[in-house]
Amino acid sequence: MTPTIALSGIHKRFGANEVLKGVSLEAREGEVISIIGASGSGKSTLLRCIPLLETPEAGSIAIGGETVRMRSKGGRAAPADAHQVNRLRASLGFVFQNFNLWAHMTVLQNVIEAPVHVQKRPRAEAIAEAEALLEKVGLAEKRDAYPAQLSGGQQQRTAIARALAMRPRALLFDEPTSALDPELVGEVLRVIRDLAAEGRTMLIVTHEMAFAADVSTRAIFLHDGQIEEQGPPARIFNAPTSDRTRAFIARHLNR
Amino acid sequence: MDFDFLSDTMGKLLAGVPMTLELALISTTAGAVLAVLLAVARAAFVPAAWFVRGYVYVLRGTPLLLQIFLIYYGLGQFAWVRDTILWPFLRQPYWCAILALTINTAAYGAEIIRGGLQSVPAGAVEAGRAAGMPRLLLYRRIILPIAIRQALPAYGNEIITMVKATSLASIVTLMELSGIAYSIISETYRALEVFLCAGTIYLVITFVLTRAVAGVETWLNPHLRASRT
Ligand SMILES: Nc1ncnc2c1ncn2[C@@H]1O[C@H](COP(=O)(O)OP(=O)(O)OP(=O)(O)O)[C@@H](O)[C@H]1O
Ligand SMILES: [Mg+2]
């Protein structure tokens, strides 16, 4: 079976700073992969390379078996076909640390925006689906509220509904709870947990170790731009083979 | 106070109001469209940035009066201008005034919109890109709606400035509000009363405009109006 997401030999640098040093990763359908690692290890950059929010200098990216075509533009790598990139982006859902909702739109408008204008689905159908999604994330009564009127937890749940509205093959979460007050973390994790239980394909960058251990089918420890260790969460969190992984886990579980 | 003279003057001046409003409306509307195009070109298309900067520099750096003169008296000096299909328009003071007002307000407007574009949160743009929005759609649905809302208060000032700037059109013989005022004065030599009347009319127009811009602002920004629940 073709993997939902396949990264191979991804290299990414910012100036002299080589952030990803050849990362390969496959996510199969239904897998929930948590990506952990120290600050600056390249977790966000790796996740952002998947929908080409960052362009890797080398390596290949395939979504649903379709490889992103790249070319060299002025000595730098760039996507060869913007249409292809936009189409592939629309087949993924990205959830940001800072929610990144569109402040001038209501909750419902945020959710139907891309289905209607990018995927060109009928408006009525998009609204019906959005209402069901808002129900699911517990925000049915907030459909006409604006982001500024919502708590952080409600904003992030709106962002999750917005990502789901694309009917994505996979969901990508970049520290979805890091910007939240501690008492609001639970409500967002609960929604993500439900999505995992539905069998959705997800990649989750997180510092919530207990949650990662609990929800994921595989854990990846990233160190200095490389995958240091990966495997079933039970092993990574309880009996890692790498000293670095062990030290990282120990530091984070004792907080 | 000679109330008969005042009411008579008011009546004559009011006849110039439609022309004043017309000049302001056409030039601010066309100018706003041009301003958005210039600002977006400057932000999104590197080779255009220098052109836009030069355009803004020249049009903000010279008096509007001079620009009106140049267009009205200057364009006709070029034979090729007289050969274009635009000549029937450009030979009329009305269209010259509108052209000058438009390109002038577009320069100020482009700077205001540029400020608005800079205030668009990077996260909002990123979310649009992640959703697969092509660049044009991103501008149309996310970037410009946010930028224009942000720019609106400053743009309101520009519109009011433009209403008053239409008075310069009188120097190319247009009989808008100020043009009529000058002509009454040259007949009656009663400058004080006439200018008081004209000033009052400008004040009323400005007042109505200020309210209208504030209304549009509130209407476009329900997310700021509504309190946190
Ligand atoms: N746009 C950028 N320009 C320059 N450097 C960047 C950029 N984005 C990330 N970096 C650098 O790349 C490195 C990896 O960053 P990244 O955000 O991927 O780390 P991370 O593992 O997500 O860290 P954190 O846990 O703090 O979010 C850091 O050194 C960071 O400073
Ligand atoms: Mg990060």
Side-chain angles (χ1 to χ4, degrees):
Chain A
M1 206 179 66
T2 48
T4 305
I5 295 168
L7 305 179
S8 141
I10 298 293
H11 286 262
K12 176 68 192 174
R13 60 166 66 245
F14 294 106
N17 182 10
E18 190 172 19
V19 176
L20 296 177
K21 303 168 180 170
V23 177
S24 299
L25 163 64
E26 281 191 357
R28 306 199 157 268
E29 198 180 325
E31 268 196 296
V32 177
I33 299 175
S34 52
I35 301 172
I36 58 172
S39 182
S41 58
K43 306 181 296 295
S44 297
T45 306
L46 177 63
L47 201 70
R48 292 164 52 81
C49 279
I50 299 171
L52 286 116
L53 294 174
E54 304 287 357
T55 313
E57 284 90 44
S60 77
I61 300 166
I63 314 285
E66 182 180 346
T67 302
V68 179
R69 288 186 294 281
M70 304 292 289
R71 67 179 168 132
S72 172
K73 186 182 174 186
R76 292 171 58 95
D81 179 359
H83 293 293
Q84 185 198 28
V85 170
N86 285 327
R87 186 164 43 75
L88 292 176
R89 281 175 179 163
S91 74
L92 299 168
F94 203 102
V95 176
F96 299 89
Q97 183 172 347
N98 295 311
F99 331 132
N100 294 352
L101 293 178
W102 297 310
H104 60 299
M105 299 182 187
T106 63
V107 163
L108 186 79
Q109 288 167 342
N110 266 276
V111 177
I112 64 169
E113 178 64 21
V116 171
H117 289 101
V118 177
Q119 296 177 325
K120 313 268 192 244
R121 303 216 307 256
R123 196 180 178 82
E125 177 199 301
I127 290 175
E129 194 168 322
E131 281 169 341
L133 288 170
L134 289 173
E135 182 85 38
K136 180 185 179 123
V137 300
L139 288 173
E141 77 287 7
K142 293 287 182 193
R143 71 192 286 268
D144 296 321
Y146 284 87
Q149 301 167 283
L150 302 178
S151 72
Q154 291 170 331
Q155 289 190 53
Q156 193 60 299
R157 285 185 283 144
T158 303
I160 293 172
R162 177 175 70 175
L164 289 170
M166 311 289 290
R167 297 179 180 164
R169 291 173 181 285
L171 288 164
L172 312 174
F173 293 87
D174 188 5
E175 300 201 33
T177 58
S178 293
L180 297 177
D181 293 338
E183 73 271 20
L184 301 177
V185 169
E187 63 187 60
V188 171
L189 293 186
R190 206 169 310 124
V191 169
I192 301 175
R193 212 181 285 270
D194 288 348
L195 294 171
E198 281 177 15
R200 297 211 180 240
T201 314
M202 305 200 282
L203 270 71
I204 310 171
V205 171
T206 185
H207 285 292
E208 299 282 338
M209 295 301 149
F211 169 75
D214 185 39
V215 79
S216 48
T217 57
R218 180 161 39 128
I220 290 179
F221 175 63
L222 208 61
H223 173 77
D224 199 16
Q226 286 180 312
I227 294 179
E228 173 84 10
E229 186 170 3
Q230 61 176 315
R235 187 173 70 67
I236 298 292
F237 288 100
N238 299 316
T241 48
S242 149
D243 290 341
R244 287 198 184 111
T245 317
R246 192 173 311 122
F248 177 81
I249 304 274
R251 227 174 319 125
H252 279 266
L253 287 181
N254 293 340
R255 277 204 307 198
Chain B
M1 272 282 175
D2 181 347
F3 285 103
D4 283 345
F5 178 71
L6 285 181
S7 75
D8 184 49
T9 302
M10 263 303 183
K12 286 179 183 154
L13 289 176
L14 283 173
V17 169
M19 166 85 83
T20 293
L21 293 181
E22 223 175 280
L23 290 170
L25 185 74
I26 297 178
S27 58
T28 45
T29 307
V33 173
L34 192 55
V36 168
L37 292 176
L38 287 166
V40 170
R42 176 167 179 179
F45 186 56
V46 179
W50 280 104
F51 169 78
V52 177
R53 285 162 78 155
Y55 176 91
V56 170
Y57 181 74
V58 169
L59 279 136
R60 290 202 310 178
T62 55
L64 175 56
L65 186 62
L66 208 81
Q67 293 161 17
I68 296 177
F69 272 138
L70 266 178
I71 288 175
Y72 184 56
Y73 296 108
L75 282 184
Q77 309 276 314
F78 298 101
W80 62 268
V81 174
R82 293 196 298 270
D83 290 337
T84 65
I85 49 160
L86 290 177
W87 183 238
F89 293 102
L90 290 177
R91 60 189 302 176
Q92 297 173 34
Y94 179 78
W95 290 107
C96 285
I98 282 187
L99 179 62
L101 290 167
T102 300
I103 62 173
N104 182 271
T105 187
Y108 286 90
E111 282 299 285
I112 296 170
I113 303 283
R114 183 169 78 97
L117 286 174
Q118 283 170 344
S119 75
V120 176
V125 179
E126 183 126 271
R129 292 210 300 142
M133 291 189 178
R135 205 138 89 137
L136 216 62
L137 184 67
L138 197 56
Y139 267 94
R140 186 163 70 76
R141 299 290 308 171
I142 310 292
I143 299 177
L144 282 176
I146 297 176
I148 288 171
R149 280 170 172 82
Q150 200 72 35
L152 208 58
Y155 219 107
N157 285 338
E158 176 57 22
I159 295 171
I160 288 162
T161 304
M162 284 304 290
V163 170
K164 292 176 290 181
T166 55
S167 65
L168 292 176
S170 58
I171 58 154
V172 287
T173 73
L174 284 185
M175 281 306 193
E176 44 63 70
L177 187 40
S178 296
I180 294 175
Y182 297 138
S183 81
I184 299 174
I185 292 167
S186 67
E187 286 163 16
T188 64
Y189 299 100
R190 296 170 78 164
L192 180 67
E193 287 125 309
V194 176
F195 279 140
L196 275 177
C197 288
T200 307
I201 296 175
Y202 278 115
L203 272 178
V204 170
I205 295 175
T206 307
F207 176 77
V208 172
L209 256 180
T210 315
R211 308 303 310 166
V213 171
V216 171
E217 237 173 272
T218 322
W219 173 62
L220 279 178
N221 289 297
H223 59 296
L224 300 182
R225 196 187 338 137
S227 62
R228 222 183 125 101
T229 50

